[in-house]
Amino acid sequence: MTARSSLTVVLAAGEGTRMRSATPKVLHSVAGESLLAHVLAAAPKGAEAALAVVVGPDHTAVAQEAKRARPDVQTFIQHERLGTAHAVLAAREAITRGANDLLIAFGDTPLISAETFARLRAPLKHGATLAVLGFRAVDPTGYGRLVVEGNRLIAIREHAEASGAERAINLCNAGVMAFDGARALEIIEKISNANSKREYYLTDAVGIIRNLGLEAVVIETSEDEVRGINTRAQLAEAEQVMQTRLRKAALDAGVTMIAPETVYLAADTTFGKDVIIEPFVVIGPGVSIADGAVIHSFSHIVQASIGKQASIGPYARLRPGTSLGEGVRIGNFVETKASVLDAGVKVNHLSYIGDTHIGANSNVGAGTITCNYDGFGKHRTEIGEGAFVGTNSSLVAPVKIGNGAYIGSGSVITRDVPDDAMAIERTAQTIREGGAARYREIKTRGKKPTSG
């Protein structure tokens, strides 16, 4: 059987004035992704799935975010805000291309899932003209009520217009709909603005469908899934729901979290097997954590790749562009940024590693700073394999520390150090050859310098 084609139209033109923010509402984030990005991620994908987002005038940032989240999206502008049906018709060009199913969603419902979109489409295969998403509200005050007879949806009654009996109904309208694509445009164009606000409401489609002798049905989901975001308080509530979901998914995948309620995850975090996360860890967007890694308490990680059996923290900060190889050790009060640390590297205490590549099995002592910024631009530091950097050292980029080189404690390195060399003067004016041999001799005598 040929798969049904779909067009999903996401309405994202609202100003979100109740957010008290200069940022458009749908660009506020939950679990490290914008509200809009979450909705677009859940919308149908594939060759038979088209996607359109309706934005407000001068909302270039919203259109850009839509493209970032789903490059296959097409954006349309609703120049006047005249109701939900009017907003859908802003995407008329996309609708007229034709699709078996027309899905209407909202850019401020980040908790909706791909599975719910699929369930909403299912009745259309069996002859329904419209499927409306509903939920059982704990407190239905203010919501439109879904009036049903048997399995058929008879009306969507706004709270202000509902009778006493209708207000007792707790089955409420989530706003998300799926139309038979062959009849969708015909039905939406019949919607009038004969109401007190002179706006075109998508909910009026139910009455039109009934008058045409066609079928409308309700698909139920949880109240959490269709939470709309209009205030900062609702944004925080959605974050809580999303974090609960993400923590459960991580636990189900085999991640150990000692105190899950204290760990904050991003929607795109990926985990290997047997990862351990201690309490009070914050993981931002773009993080992957490989098998057996341990993230100790009070660490903050964003846009970083953590290798197998690595150990991070406590109190570590991994900034964007950090890539850690297998068995890397990042200790307390260490910060990394735009740096690659190969397998077996140790940076155990109180150090800053920025714009740096450190070769395998090198050791960086406490208080080491890669001085990557000269007041005008950023510069890179290269540290070779098996190098040893003593405590309280400053490596002034651009600079290269050779394989097996030894930097004495308290050094300020301003020029390249060759392979197997030793730099021990505090101002590093002299680079002594043969340093690695001397370092091996010190170790042989049992007088290995403290690594920090």
Side-chain angles (χ1 to χ4, degrees), residues 94 114 124 154 158 173 182 193 206 217 223 272 320 364 377 403 411 425 439 447:
L124 304 181
I154 302 303
E158 295 304 320
N173 178 32
N193 65 344
V206 176
V217 299
E223 185 171 4
V364 177
N403 297 328
S411 295
E425 277 72 20
Y439 180 53
K447 297 180 180 179

Side-chain angles (χ1 to χ4, degrees), residues 89-425:
L89 290 178
R92 183 192 299 269
E93 177 189 332
I95 297 170
T96 55
R97 294 191 197 113
N100 296 126
D101 304 335
L102 172 64
L103 293 164
I104 311 297
F106 294 86
D108 65 347
T109 55
L111 300 173
I112 196 164
S113 67
E115 292 74 18
T116 293
F117 279 126
R119 288 199 304 118
L120 195 62
R121 295 176 66 187
L124 304 181
K125 292 190 296 184
H126 303 292
T129 302
L130 174 65
V132 173
L133 193 61
F135 65 97
R136 301 281 175 178
V138 174
D139 178 7
T141 304
Y143 290 113
R145 307 305 205 278
L146 299 181
V147 182
V148 297
E149 288 181 2
N151 294 325
R152 297 188 66 194
L153 176 62
I154 302 303
I156 300 177
R157 197 78 70 213
E158 295 304 320
H159 180 87
E161 300 169 357
S163 66
E166 289 169 339
R167 289 189 180 188
I169 297 171
N170 70 346
L171 181 59
C172 298
N173 178 32
V176 182
M177 298 181 177
F179 285 87
D180 174 4
R183 305 296 298 266
L185 195 57
E186 168 198 353
I187 291 164
I188 296 170
E189 286 179 333
K190 289 181 183 294
I191 294 173
S192 77
N193 65 344
N195 53 66
S196 60
K197 292 188 177 180
R198 309 300 295 172
E199 293 186 354
Y200 301 86
Y201 296 127
L202 202 56
T203 51
D204 290 347
V206 176
I208 293 168
I209 287 170
R210 188 182 180 194
N211 291 337
L212 291 172
L214 302 173
E215 183 182 14
V217 299
V218 176
I219 297 297
E220 289 192 41
T221 190
S222 68
E223 185 171 4
D224 274 343
E225 187 168 0
V226 290
R227 286 174 180 265
I229 310 301
N230 292 301
T231 67
R232 301 281 186 163
Q234 290 172 341
L235 185 67
E237 290 168 1
E239 182 74 57
Q240 285 184 313
V241 174
M242 182 66 80
Q243 288 300 325
T244 298
R245 283 186 186 179
L246 295 173
R247 292 165 189 154
K248 183 180 185 302
L251 292 166
D252 290 346
V255 175
T256 295
M257 286 190 280
I258 297 167
E261 69 280 3
T262 70
V263 175
Y264 282 81
L265 304 174
D268 63 350
T269 307
T270 61
F271 298 101
K273 298 177 181 178
D274 298 314
V275 171
I276 297 174
I277 303 179
E278 292 184 353
F280 301 105
V281 168
V282 176
I283 299 177
V287 174
S288 64
I289 304 175
D291 299 353
V294 179
I295 314 299
H296 296 284
S297 294
F298 299 102
S299 295
H300 190 286
I301 306 168
V302 177
Q303 293 177 21
S305 172
I306 298 171
K308 295 180 179 180
Q309 309 299 324
S311 176
I312 311 301
Y315 295 98
R317 185 183 181 198
L318 307 187
R319 291 170 57 193
T322 294
S323 178
L324 307 182
E326 183 171 352
V328 168
R329 296 291 183 263
I330 299 294
N332 47 287
F333 303 105
V334 171
E335 179 178 348
T336 64
K337 188 272 295 183
S339 295
V340 176
L341 282 64
D342 292 340
V345 170
K346 297 178 182 178
V347 187
N348 280 326
H349 320 282
L350 299 156
S351 296
Y352 171 69
I353 305 297
D355 297 286
T356 299
H357 179 205
I358 305 180
N361 301 311
S362 293
N363 185 93
V364 177
T368 296
I369 303 296
T370 57
C371 307
N372 58 329
Y373 183 56
D374 62 5
F376 299 95
K378 298 290 181 71
H379 305 281
R380 292 195 61 79
T381 296
E382 300 286 338
I383 300 175
E385 295 182 6
F388 183 95
V389 180
T391 59
N392 198 33
S393 294
S394 296
L395 311 181
V396 183
V399 71
K400 294 182 179 180
I401 309 300
N403 297 328
Y406 175 76
I407 307 299
S409 296
S411 295
V412 177
I413 304 300
T414 59
R415 59 192 180 95
D416 294 351
V417 178
D419 292 352
D420 295 323
M422 175 176 282
I424 60 173
E425 277 72 20

